[in-house]
Amino acid sequence: MRVLIAGFQHETNTFAPSRADWAAFNRGDGFPAFSTGAAMQQTMTGINIPIAGFIDYAQSQGWQLKPSAWAGASPSAHVTEEAFEKISAAITGDARPLDFDAIYLDLHGAAVAEHLDDCEGELVARLRAIVGPLIPIVVSLDSHANVTEKLIQLADAVTCYRTYPHIDMADTGKRAGQLLNERLKRGARQLASFKRLPFIIALNAQSTMMEPNASFTKRLVSHDNIEKSSVNFATGFPAADFAECGPTLWAYGEQAHAVVQKFYDDLMTHRADWRIVVQPAAQAVQQAIELAQQDNSIGPVVIADTQDNPGAGGDSNTTGMLHALFDAGAGLKFPQQVALGLLSDPQTALAAHQAGVGAVLNIGIGKSVDTGWQGMSEAPVERAWTVKKVSDGVVTLEGPMMRGLTVHLGPCATLEAEGIQVCVMSGKKQMLDKELYRFLGIQPEQMKILVNKSSVHFRAAFAPIASHILVAKAPGPMAANPADLPWKHLPAHVDRQP
């Protein structure tokens, strides 16, 4: 058995300010840089991403692998036409010799290009046109996928993550391998049933570490383990303005329709449970200060700066939360025990490197950006910043999500003013791993307040050490409430919140 393996990962926020060009897929900050052939397989092996799980499973079955190309870029606005076409050409070019028995694709499921609403569906369509109807194509997706009918119709089997934070990425790749094995043994595709929910779920409400998704996913997985129906629930990425944005359910087998209807009815009955309230920045900082002063438990109060989440299309450069920290005097109350990370500011990071540790920079850090839906964000924060530490930005992650992945963030530095420390990077990476503080000299367990530019992924690494977790909204490109976005293409019958 020989399997062509390839991957394409991008989560597109069509309301965000910055697009994913070809260079974004080659930087290696949020994801491994674009790679092909044997080098791709070697790079992907042994880390917690889907293709690595598939590789391990395939090798356990004695399958031969034909590694094609893998491309990933940090979430942003649209993938440029050039970038998508280069990635598609690399994968489809490797498929044309037809020297394999099956295809596995490690996809995200929420990629929108300048010229295509459904990148994943289009990629599978191009491959299907090459290989014909008989060669199996199996796909793994992120649970934030905006799954389309086109993808379900063209692929033999599709599965997605069952955790958010995504600690089961490699496990999902393994499950895709098992689905492929079952497909090969049957010799034919199974009947698929697919249903879309008529509402959008906010990102912060989707976590499987919290209700209602903790219980819902537990019921779904329990049912699947017993009935073997391959049922899947993708909560969707709630900032892609096209007709098929939103949560979906699908399953395979003779009972697929009944299974999908059962979980659809469950979600519709309890839809109000999926609504959330997120507090303003100043209110969250004030609450964090009070908790840090009053609570005798060990561990920091962690605040999620959710609307500038670089894992959801933000550029990790807005300053609303930083202004709120200074306005409240957080660093004066807890000197050297308040930190924010990671702030993307390449010019400041370079200036810190040139000045050296101990230097004082009288500059503004961060950026005022057009959020795309609520006007401009706050101005840069002007202070006398002391350079505390510098780094080349090469970091190997050790947390539950992407353990084993080495990211390349470019020149990075820790700057301090009035007792507040800010971790500044040149690249773009969500704060989802404690190593992303430690490499810049900050021990997160010893802090009183941490502000993480993240929505949910930080919980996997930081919930075990946090005394409290708060979610705050300062102006940024990723709306905490999807109803705030200026939708143009979402169908009228789809509610902007549950």
Side-chain angles (χ1 to χ4, degrees), residues 187-217:
R189 297 179 61 173
Q190 281 186 303
L191 177 69
S193 181
F194 176 77
K195 204 168 183 67
R196 186 176 306 281
L197 278 296
F199 54 82
I200 301 295
I201 302 174
L203 209 58
N204 294 100
Q206 296 181 14
S207 175
T208 53
M209 294 179 70
M210 302 182 298
E211 297 299 344
N213 206 8
S215 295
F216 180 82
T217 298

Side-chain angles (χ1 to χ4, degrees), residues 4 20 30 60-61 69 89 114 127 129 135 145 164 175 196 214 241 280 291 303 324 342 396 400 408 438 469:
L4 179 92
S60 76
Q61 300 300 304
E114 292 172 326
L127 288 168
I135 289 181
Y164 182 34
R175 188 164 62 251
R196 186 176 306 281
D241 192 10
L291 290 170
I303 308 175
L342 293 157
T396 299
H408 301 265
R438 288 180 179 144
I469 292 177

Side-chain angles (χ1 to χ4, degrees), residues 163-178:
T163 62
Y164 182 34
H166 306 322
I167 60 174
D168 68 330
M169 291 186 285
D171 288 342
T172 302
K174 176 182 177 181
R175 188 164 62 251
Q178 293 168 338

Side-chain angles (χ1 to χ4, degrees), residues 194-372:
F194 176 77
K195 204 168 183 67
R196 186 176 306 281
L197 278 296
F199 54 82
I200 301 295
I201 302 174
L203 209 58
N204 294 100
Q206 296 181 14
S207 175
T208 53
M209 294 179 70
M210 302 182 298
E211 297 299 344
N213 206 8
S215 295
F216 180 82
T217 298
K218 185 176 180 180
R219 292 195 298 274
L220 184 146
V221 172
S222 177
H223 181 281
D224 197 34
N225 289 339
I226 296 170
E227 303 295 334
K228 306 299 181 185
S229 55
S230 301
V231 60
N232 295 271
F233 174 50
T235 45
F237 182 62
D241 192 10
F242 79 114
E244 293 185 87
C245 179
T248 51
L249 286 157
W250 69 98
Y252 298 94
E254 294 182 2
Q255 301 301 315
H257 179 74
V259 171
V260 168
Q261 190 65 48
K262 164 187 167 70
F263 285 105
Y264 179 88
D265 292 343
D266 186 332
L267 288 165
M268 292 299 291
T269 299
H270 301 286
R271 61 186 291 177
D273 295 345
W274 294 81
R275 295 178 184 173
I276 61 161
V277 176
V278 180
Q279 58 187 324
Q283 181 179 326
V285 169
Q286 187 56 48
Q287 183 181 358
I289 290 172
E290 293 171 359
L291 290 170
Q293 288 174 328
Q294 297 171 7
D295 192 16
N296 293 322
S297 62
I298 298 174
V301 179
V302 179
I303 308 175
D305 184 4
T306 187
Q307 294 195 152
D308 191 34
N309 175 13
D315 284 336
S316 204
N317 57 2
T318 64
T319 60
M321 290 303 304
L322 193 52
H323 278 289
L325 290 171
F326 279 110
D327 290 346
L332 301 178
K333 293 179 174 68
F334 309 111
Q336 314 300 319
Q337 290 184 295
V338 178
L340 180 146
L342 293 157
L343 182 75
S344 182
D345 188 335
Q347 292 77 23
T348 294
L350 180 60
H353 273 250
Q354 292 172 340
V357 174
V360 177
L361 304 176
N362 290 289
I363 57 173
I365 68 172
K367 186 177 181 181
S368 178
V369 303
D370 186 350
T371 65

